[in-house]
Amino acid sequence: MKTFLLTLSCFLILLSCNNTNSPKSTVYEYLVAIDNFEFEKANSLLLQNEENVAAFNNIKNFTNGFSETKKQESIAKSKNRMYNIIEKEVSESEALIIATNNEGSFTSVITFKLVKQKGNWFIKSFVADAG
């Protein structure tokens, strides 16, 4: 019985690992990577087009002035952050995802356009609107 449960657990873990590459999970991974200053990981989820490179560099440049203490405070604060990620349109090769999170007295809304290439989802573009 233990062997069966162990085998079933391993199967479910492998199944869930293969299912993590969805438009929603790509957006979530990107947001969490940015929250944690994991820029290489975040960048690996972006299509390397002119718009994304510029937006990504703006994010990195903004955080370059952060002290290590401020980075750690920001990471700690982000642990409680909840994202609401909504699939607006999804086809086999493109997706439109809306992500929101509440930061104090306002709601941040980020619209992501994704494309699927070689079986993986990548962020084609994103636009943030805080209101």
Side-chain angles (χ1 to χ4, degrees):
M1 186 65 166
K2 287 181 182 179
T3 304
F4 172 74
L5 291 176
L6 181 60
T7 303
L8 180 61
S9 296
C10 289
F11 175 75
L12 292 175
I13 289 169
L14 289 173
L15 183 63
S16 68
C17 289
N18 290 334
N19 196 24
T20 59
N21 190 9
S22 69
K24 285 175 73 171
S25 67
T26 299
V27 166
Y28 180 77
E29 286 179 43
Y30 175 80
L31 293 169
V32 170
I34 292 295
D35 284 347
N36 290 304
F37 300 89
E38 296 172 346
F39 295 123
E40 286 183 36
K41 181 175 181 177
N43 195 39
S44 73
L45 299 169
L46 297 173
L47 274 184
Q48 296 304 304
N49 58 38
E50 187 176 326
E51 183 180 352
N52 280 349
V53 169
F56 184 73
N57 285 336
N58 286 339
I59 292 168
K60 279 183 63 175
N61 290 338
F62 175 74
T63 61
N64 277 345
F66 285 17
S67 68
E68 192 58 37
T69 301
K70 186 169 182 174
K71 285 182 182 179
Q72 293 306 315
E73 288 171 357
S74 181
I75 290 170
K77 182 179 175 184
S78 73
K79 299 289 183 210
N80 296 321
R81 187 171 294 139
M82 298 290 290
Y83 290 104
N84 184 22
I85 301 174
I86 304 160
E87 291 181 338
K88 294 299 277 183
E89 300 171 20
V90 178
S91 71
E92 287 190 29
S93 61
E94 296 182 339
L96 178 66
I97 305 293
I98 308 294
T100 63
N101 76 321
N102 291 346
E103 286 291 327
S105 61
F106 67 93
T107 300
S108 298
V109 179
I110 308 172
T111 303
F112 292 89
K113 292 182 181 176
L114 291 91
V115 294
K116 193 171 192 178
Q117 293 185 347
K118 297 180 183 177
N120 293 311
W121 287 97
F122 295 95
I123 297 168
K124 180 179 178 180
S125 65
F126 60 96
V127 178
D129 178 33

